[in-house]
Amino acid sequence: MEPCLFCRIAGGEIPSEKVYEDEFVYAFEDINPQAPVHVLIVPKRHIARVEDLCHSDAETAGRLLTAAAVIAKQRGLTNGFRAVFNNGADGGQEVEHIHLHLIGGVKMGWPPFPSV
Ligand code: 5GP
Ligand code: ZN
């Protein structure tokens, strides 16, 4: 099976603008930023969706968030930011490899969906 897009980016096979890397995760600039700061943080190991996480992935899952903390500080997001997993069809996930969107530099609204 072909490796997925974000596996190939995390593995350096497809170029990206690297923001952060550790043993567990890789972070890079979103190609189509929705805000002044828009970084994607992905596990280096392929995990398709949040519901595929097991307890043995706890360190990887935690590193997604601790990477967000490091990058938010680096980017000076002292007034806040949003950290989002779009997950599955209803969540608007387009790339089937878990990615944490770190979005900031603009005041955001809530809720992020049309009211019912
Ligand atoms: P999703 O909709 O799955 O939550 O988000 C996928 C994100 O990946 C989108 O924000 C999109 O702009 C970004 N993206 C898609 N393809 C590429 C790519 O080849 N390189 C980078 N850097 N970002 C990508
Ligand atoms: Zn993958």
Side-chain angles (χ1 to χ4, degrees), residues 41-109:
I41 309 163
V42 304
K44 288 187 167 177
R45 191 170 68 75
H46 182 81
I47 304 170
R49 292 189 181 184
V50 170
E51 60 266 37
D52 297 325
L53 288 164
C54 319
H55 284 141
S56 60
D57 297 315
E59 178 141 30
T60 302
R63 290 292 184 118
L64 294 170
L65 277 173
T66 52
V70 170
I71 297 162
K73 284 193 193 94
Q74 278 174 355
R75 295 296 170 92
L77 297 178
T78 52
N79 208 39
F81 56 87
R82 195 162 283 170
V84 179
F85 291 103
N86 294 331
N87 191 69
D90 280 1
Q93 182 178 10
E94 288 180 358
V95 180
E96 290 269 333
H97 178 134
I98 289 178
H99 45 285
L100 184 59
H101 292 259
L102 173 63
I103 303 165
V106 66
K107 177 90 176 158
M108 283 165 263

Side-chain angles (χ1 to χ4, degrees), residues 20-49:
Y20 172 90
E21 182 174 18
D22 66 26
E23 192 184 339
F24 294 89
V25 304
Y26 181 79
F28 55 102
E29 302 286 354
D30 194 293
I31 205 166
N32 183 23
Q34 301 300 311
V37 174
H38 190 169
V39 173
L40 300 175
I41 309 163
V42 304
K44 288 187 167 177
R45 191 170 68 75
H46 182 81
I47 304 170
R49 292 189 181 184

